[in-house]
Amino acid sequence: MKSDAVTKGLQQAPHRSLFNALGLTEEEMNRPLVGIVCSYNEIVPGHMNLDKIANAVKMGVAMAGGTPIMFPAIAVCDGIAMGHIGMKYSLVTRDLIADSTEAMALAHQFDALVMIPNCDKNVPGLLMAAARINVPTVFVSGGPMLAGHVKGQKRSLSSMFEAVGAQAAGNITLDELKEFEQNVCPTCGSCSGMYTANSMNCLTEALGMGLKGNGTIPAVYSERIKLAKHAGMKVMELLEKDIKPRDIMTKDAILNALTVDMALGCSTNSMLHLPAIAHEIGFDFDISFANPISERTPNLCHLAPAGPTYMEDLNEAGGVYAVMNELAEAGLLNLDCMTVTGKTVGENIKGAVNKNPEVIRPLDNPYSKTGGLAVLKGNLAPDGGVVKRSAVVDEMMVHEGPARVFDCEEDAIAAIKGGKIVPGDVVVIRYEGPKGGPGMREMLNPTSAIAGMGLGSSVALITDGRFSGASRGASIGHVSPEAAVGGPIALVEEGDIIKINIPEMTLNIDVSDEEMAARKAKWQPREPKVTTGYLARYASMVTSGNRGAILEIKK
C-alpha cells in the first residue's frame, strides 16, 4: 500500500506519532488511508451541502474497511463572480485545484481517493488531479439544484440574468425582477440547467469516473446521500481490484464523453475541460475532433437554457445512462471502456430505460441530427471557435453583419444596455482570452442582456473569452488565436462585415488577406492587464482556448 510509506516500519514512528495527534487508532493506521477531497464551503450554493456528502462518503469507506481522511479543495461560484474582476479568477482555479490536490494526495501518500466536487472548474480540476495522482478514485458530486418557479413556469439562473436585460428594456417591472430574484434558485446544488457544473458532472458519468446518478440526482434528494455512501464503498472495491483513473480515463473514454456531450447539449466550457483532462493522460485533444463526432451524434436533450426542461427532469427520465443507451443503440459509443463500477460502459447501461421521450428524445426523433456543439474555423478563427448550436435559433444559424468592437466585457454591456446594439450587429468582445483577460472571463452578462432585450434572434456575439453554460443564442467563444497574441480577432475594425455559418462551421471576416496583413503589421501587443500575483503567473504560462487553456512551461 502507498500509505505504508507513512504508517509502517521503524522509520515511520514519527509519522505515526502525528497520526496519533489526529486521534487515529492503531487499527485505523493499519487500514488503507482514503483521502476524501471535499470542496465544501459557505459561499457556493452548490457546495453548501458537501459536508453531508462527505460524511456519507466517510461512512461508506469505513463500512468497507478503509480509513477516511478529509482534506479541502477550493471552488468559485461563477454566478457570484460574474461581471467583475472576480470572473478572472474562475477558470484559473481549475489548475489551482488540480495542483493543490496533487500536492495533498502525494504528500500524505493516500491509497485511494473520493473526490467531492460540484461546480464549474471544481469538477475538471479534480478530474485532472485524479489522472495525475492515479490511485483508485471515485467521484460523487453534490448534485443539481431543483428548478425554481416564477408565474407557474420552471425557471433557473439563466432566467434571472435574462430578466435583468428584460427590465433594462422596459419589458418587466422592478417588482417582477424581484420575483425572479427570490425564486429562481430555490435550493442548494449546482444551478438547475445544463450549465457547466451539471455538464461536467454528467460527463464524469460518461467518462466512467462517477456512479449512476452522479450528474442528475438532485442535491436535496436523500438518494444523493445513498449515492455518496456507495461511492465510499466502491472506492475500496477499486483499491482491491487495482483499478485506477488512467485505466478508466482513456482516449476512448474521452471520445465517449464528447459524444454524450453532443447528445446532452452541454456547455461550451466542456470544450475547454475535456482537452485539459485529455492532456493529463497524454492525449493531444484537438477541438476539431468535435465536428465529426457532432455530425454523427444526434442532439437528444434541450435542457435549460436551450429548452424548458431541467436536471430534475433528466433524472426522472432515466439520467445519463438512458441517454448513453440511446447512443449505444446507434453504435456511437465504445462499450468496452472500464468504469468505477468495476464493469464496462456496456454492462452499466444495459437495460437503462428512457422514461420520458420528451426530455430524452429517441434516436428517430432528435432535436437535431447533429450534436449540441460545433467548432467554427475561418480567417477570423484559424484555430477555431466554439458555439453551442443547440441553443441557437434557426434564423441565426447563418448570419452576417457589421462588427461592433469592444476591448472588454464592461464596454460591451454598457453599449447593449444603452440601446446602441441593433438587429443585425455582430458584437465582438476581445482581449478577454486566457492570456489577455487574463483568465478568460465568461460572457453571461452580455449574452443575457442581448436575449433579455429581445435581440437573441438578430444579434450575434463572438469573443476570445468564453461563455457560461447558461448562455444561449449565436454566441461564439474561445476564438483562437486570441487577441492578446495577435490573432485575427485583434485586427477587426468597427463596421467590418463578419460572416457566420454554423451549418458549414465557418467564421470569417469579409476583409482581404492583404488588408488583414497590413493591419497585422501595425498591430502592437498590449501591456498586460495584471502584472503581479497568481493571474500574472497564469498569463505567462497559459495556452490558447483551442488547447483547453492548459498551462505549459516555456522551454
Side-chain angles (χ1 to χ4, degrees):
M1 304 294 286
K2 285 179 69 72
S3 62
D4 288 353
V6 293
T7 60
K8 301 291 192 299
L10 290 175
Q11 293 299 317
Q12 280 65 43
H15 305 70
R16 290 193 295 273
S17 72
L18 293 167
F19 282 118
N20 283 326
L22 291 170
L24 291 189
T25 65
E26 187 174 337
E27 290 84 357
E28 286 173 302
M29 282 185 257
N30 286 331
R31 294 176 177 178
L33 301 186
V34 180
I36 312 300
V37 189
C38 180
S39 55
Y40 167 76
N41 60 62
E42 295 181 339
I43 188 62
V44 185
H47 293 223
M48 62 182 286
N49 65 321
L50 297 191
D51 55 340
K52 297 177 177 61
I53 300 297
N55 286 335
V57 168
K58 290 166 73 175
M59 186 175 292
V61 169
M63 285 192 294
T67 298
I69 302 174
M70 187 172 70
F71 64 88
I74 64 168
V76 163
C77 177
D78 277 22
I80 295 174
M82 194 71 66
H84 55 88
I85 191 173
M87 182 45 69
K88 293 180 184 290
Y89 285 91
S90 172
L91 178 60
V92 305
T93 64
R94 185 186 71 185
D95 296 273
L96 277 177
I97 290 161
D99 292 348
S100 60
T101 303
E102 174 192 358
M104 287 292 288
L106 296 179
H108 300 102
Q109 292 293 286
F110 287 105
D111 297 302
L113 299 166
V114 180
M115 306 287 200
I116 308 176
N118 211 28
C119 293
D120 295 289
K121 313 314 146 324
N122 196 241
V123 185
L126 290 178
L127 285 166
M128 291 162 66
R132 287 185 203 171
I133 300 160
N134 204 37
V135 297
T137 303
V138 176
F139 276 65
V140 56
S141 76
M145 185 184 290
L146 293 178
H149 290 82
V150 178
K151 298 186 186 304
Q153 289 186 308
K154 285 186 176 182
R155 298 289 189 175
S156 63
L157 185 66
S158 56
S159 309
M160 182 70 250
F161 277 87
E162 290 179 15
V164 173
Q167 196 281 324
N171 296 327
I172 64 173
T173 66
L174 284 172
D175 285 342
E176 288 173 314
L177 182 66
K178 186 74 171 180
E179 185 178 359
F180 274 88
E181 185 179 329
Q182 295 292 330
N183 292 289
V184 297
C185 295
T187 73
C188 63
S190 47
C191 296
S192 56
M194 188 53 80
Y195 310 144
T196 305
N198 293 323
S199 294
M200 293 310 301
N201 282 324
C202 287
L203 296 185
T204 298
E205 272 189 73
L207 276 171
M209 290 298 294
L211 299 175
K212 180 182 180 183
N214 176 72
T216 59
I217 297 171
V220 294
Y221 283 14
S222 299
E223 191 66 26
R224 176 65 55 179
I225 300 296
K226 294 181 184 177
L227 181 71
K229 291 176 182 175
H230 283 131
M233 290 185 271
K234 185 59 67 174
V235 80
M236 297 304 295
E237 181 183 320
L238 295 183
L239 182 60
E240 181 181 349
K241 295 179 177 178
D242 195 31
I243 298 174
K244 298 173 182 174
R246 286 183 212 162
D247 300 321
I248 296 169
M249 288 192 285
T250 61
K251 176 179 177 179
D252 286 335
I254 288 171
L255 296 179
N256 274 352
L258 184 55
T259 302
V260 175
D261 186 332
M262 297 299 172
L264 286 172
C266 289
S267 163
T268 51
N269 281 311
S270 63
M271 294 303 293
L272 283 174
H273 302 321
L274 288 176
I277 295 162
H279 178 71
E280 297 294 344
I281 65 165
F283 171 27
D284 188 10
F285 183 108
D286 186 319
I287 62 169
S288 296
F289 293 161
N291 286 345
I293 290 178
S294 184
E295 286 302 291
R296 65 175 181 261
T297 305
N299 177 227
L300 305 180
C301 300
H302 261 194
L303 283 82
T309 54
Y310 295 81
M311 295 306 296
E312 62 204 66
D313 302 312
L314 179 59
N315 187 64
E316 291 168 12
V320 175
Y321 276 20
V323 174
M324 293 178 74
N325 199 41
E326 293 280 356
L327 297 174
E329 288 182 12
L332 295 172
L333 296 178
N334 185 319
L335 302 181
D336 296 326
C337 293
M338 179 52 61
T339 73
V340 292
T341 66
K343 300 177 181 178
T344 64
V345 167
E347 290 171 315
N348 285 345
I349 66 175
K350 185 178 181 180
V353 176
N354 180 355
K355 300 175 184 177
N356 188 338
E358 292 303 313
V359 175
I360 304 171
R361 291 279 186 92
L363 290 171
D364 59 3
N365 184 34
Y367 282 101
S368 66
K369 293 181 179 180
T370 54
L373 300 180
V375 174
L376 312 186
K377 288 191 175 184
N379 67 350
L380 190 52
D383 293 335
V386 181
V387 64
K388 187 173 183 176
R389 65 177 166 188
S390 61
V392 179
V393 295
D394 289 343
E395 51 265 45
M396 290 299 289
M397 286 290 183
V398 177
H399 179 78
E400 67 177 70
R404 304 300 308 281
V405 183
F406 304 94
D407 288 349
C408 67
E409 177 189 8
E410 288 82 359
D411 290 351
I413 292 170
I416 295 164
K417 291 187 176 179
K420 296 179 180 178
I421 303 302
V422 299
D425 283 349
V426 179
V427 176
V428 177
I429 306 177
R430 62 190 181 190
Y431 294 99
E432 291 284 9
K435 190 178 293 291
M440 203 178 187
R441 289 195 288 180
E442 288 186 342
M443 302 292 154
L444 179 57
N445 274 333
T447 59
S448 297
I450 287 169
M453 296 186 76
L455 297 170
S457 60
S458 60
V459 169
L461 191 155
I462 69 170
T463 180
D464 53 7
R466 62 195 179 92
F467 295 109
S468 165
S471 292
R472 63 187 176 101
S475 304
I476 302 162
H478 310 193
V479 170
S480 302
E482 63 174 292
V485 298
I489 192 172
L491 311 178
V492 180
E493 295 182 358
E494 188 81 7
D496 286 344
I497 299 301
I498 292 176
K499 297 181 176 181
I500 300 165
N501 192 318
I502 295 173
E504 293 186 4
M505 300 177 187
T506 59
L507 177 61
N508 288 295
I509 181 170
D510 192 14
V511 174
S512 70
D513 292 345
E514 292 78 13
E515 172 62 18
M516 291 296 280
R519 293 181 187 180
K520 176 74 175 189
K522 296 176 184 176
W523 178 82
Q524 293 292 324
R526 298 196 169 200
E527 289 295 318
K529 293 178 183 177
V530 179
T531 58
T532 60
Y534 178 55
L535 287 179
R537 294 198 303 276
Y538 180 88
S540 72
M541 297 176 67
V542 71
T543 61
S544 194
N546 68 301
R547 298 190 58 206
I550 60 172
L551 301 186
E552 282 189 336
I553 299 170
K554 292 182 179 178
K555 297 180 181 178

